[in-house]
């Protein structure tokens, strides 16, 4: 197991697991909202075809949570 931080709180992940899968396993289902309407967004397709799961990883914006492998010490924000 490894650990990264999401919005300042620790999240555990299995080695090789995507950030999206780790967040889902931790009970975190959404981390951003739509511009119009403020509807919650998180994992949708989980295969990298859409943009619903975008987040910032180690200061790099617009990373797909479903395609980005969690690494120990990552700092992730919605």
């Amino acid at each position: 197991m490894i650990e990264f931080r999401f919005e300042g709180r620790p999240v555990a992940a299995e080695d090789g697991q995507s950030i999206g899968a780790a967040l889902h396993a931790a009970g975190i289902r959404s981390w951003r909202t739509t511009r119009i309407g403020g509807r919650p967004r998180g994992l949708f397709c989980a295969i990298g075809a859409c943009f619903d799961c975008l987040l910032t990883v180690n200061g790099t914006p617009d990373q797909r949570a479903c395609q980005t492998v969690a690494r120990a010490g990552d700092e992730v924000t919605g």
Side-chain angles (χ1 to χ4, degrees):
M1 296 293 284
I2 59 104
E3 184 178 280
F4 66 94
R5 298 188 80 68
F6 175 72
E7 302 288 351
R9 70 184 223 205
V11 176
E14 293 185 35
D15 190 34
Q17 189 174 34
S18 72
I19 291 173
L23 291 173
H24 189 81
I28 302 167
R29 304 291 194 257
S30 65
W31 45 85
R32 62 185 214 91
T33 57
T34 59
R35 285 182 227 158
I36 300 172
R39 292 184 301 269
R41 291 291 183 256
L43 288 180
F44 179 69
C45 74
I47 61 170
C50 75
F51 297 93
D52 277 359
C53 68
L54 294 180
L55 34 70
T56 299
V57 181
N58 299 322
T60 304
D62 301 329
Q63 302 299 300
R64 288 184 177 102
C66 68
Q67 298 292 298
T68 305
V69 174
R71 303 209 186 281
D74 278 350
E75 292 289 334
V76 180
T77 58

